[in-house]
Amino acid sequence: MTGYSADLAQVCGCQWAATGTTSDEVVAKTKAHAKETHQMNEVPAAIVQKLQAAIRPAM
Ligand SMILES: [Zn+2]
């Protein structure tokens, strides 16, 4: 598998990793998760910063 993943334990505390073929896809999936799971219609900048830091290439 190639792409990117973000361990959300570092972002919102969930035991879940967002994955995607591009970092943009990881961000989009995490924003959808934040909206559905955490009722965040707008993801706070602090969360986005944590997310950007958590994204890394997936093996
Ligand atoms: Zn979460």
Side-chain angles (χ1 to χ4, degrees):
M1 178 187 159
T2 58
Y4 295 86
S5 70
D7 182 1
L8 296 193
Q10 301 171 39
V11 179
C12 59
C14 291
Q15 298 299 309
W16 188 69
T19 59
T21 53
T22 64
S23 57
D24 282 350
E25 196 177 332
V26 174
V27 170
K29 284 189 180 180
T30 303
K31 285 184 174 177
H33 160 82
K35 188 172 180 179
E36 290 170 12
T37 306
H38 303 292
Q39 286 79 48
M40 291 179 187
N41 287 323
E42 282 297 324
V43 180
I47 296 288
V48 174
Q49 276 187 352
K50 285 184 185 179
L51 172 59
Q52 296 289 355
I55 293 174
R56 47 186 47 89
M59 292 297 153

